[in-house]
Amino acid sequence: VEVEGRVVAVIHLRRGPMSPLHPQEVVHTSFLLVQPDNRRHGYARVLLDVAVTWAEELGLDHVTALTTSASREANRFMARLGLASTATLRMAPAALLRAKLSPASRSGAVTPRQVLAQRRSLRRRQSAR
């Protein structure tokens, strides 16, 4: 959405399967962002209307919306529009997940991956000096 030549709201739309287990195609919306000064003026509704219109043109029955779990305002807005929570997306740094998954980390033994990671860290520190 542009107002007086300035972008005040954006949304990313894509067509794709609902999930790897549900091949039914849907319109996925993500990265809905309205500049703070321009909130509560209906721009998010306009952008979601575009998503629904596109879904209808494509003959698709559903629209999804990706929001951050920390954004209470965005989640309440989506819920008021009738979008239900259907999944939880969790994220972690790969190194943290590796440490939690690796049985060697529990026994105190050092794995080759840990040695390489330590070497890379040392090299980065030395090159930064």
Side-chain angles (χ1 to χ4, degrees), residues 66-67 69 87-93 97:
L66 179 65
T67 62
S69 58
T88 301
L89 176 66
R90 296 184 179 266
M91 185 170 69
L97 193 53

Side-chain angles (χ1 to χ4, degrees), residues 48-117:
L48 287 169
D49 186 69
V50 169
V52 171
T53 300
W54 191 41
E56 291 169 342
E57 288 172 1
L58 296 171
L60 304 179
D61 295 328
H62 292 88
V63 175
T64 68
L66 179 65
T67 62
T68 64
S69 58
S71 179
R72 183 174 181 234
E73 184 179 351
N75 283 297
R76 290 183 74 196
F77 172 73
M78 294 296 179
R80 281 194 308 271
L81 292 176
L83 288 131
S85 178
T86 58
T88 301
L89 176 66
R90 296 184 179 266
M91 185 170 69
L96 173 69
L97 193 53
R98 171 58 56 212
K100 298 284 186 177
L101 291 171
S102 174
S105 65
R106 291 190 186 136
S107 65
V110 177
T111 66
R113 281 196 171 112
Q114 289 171 317
V115 171
L116 291 173

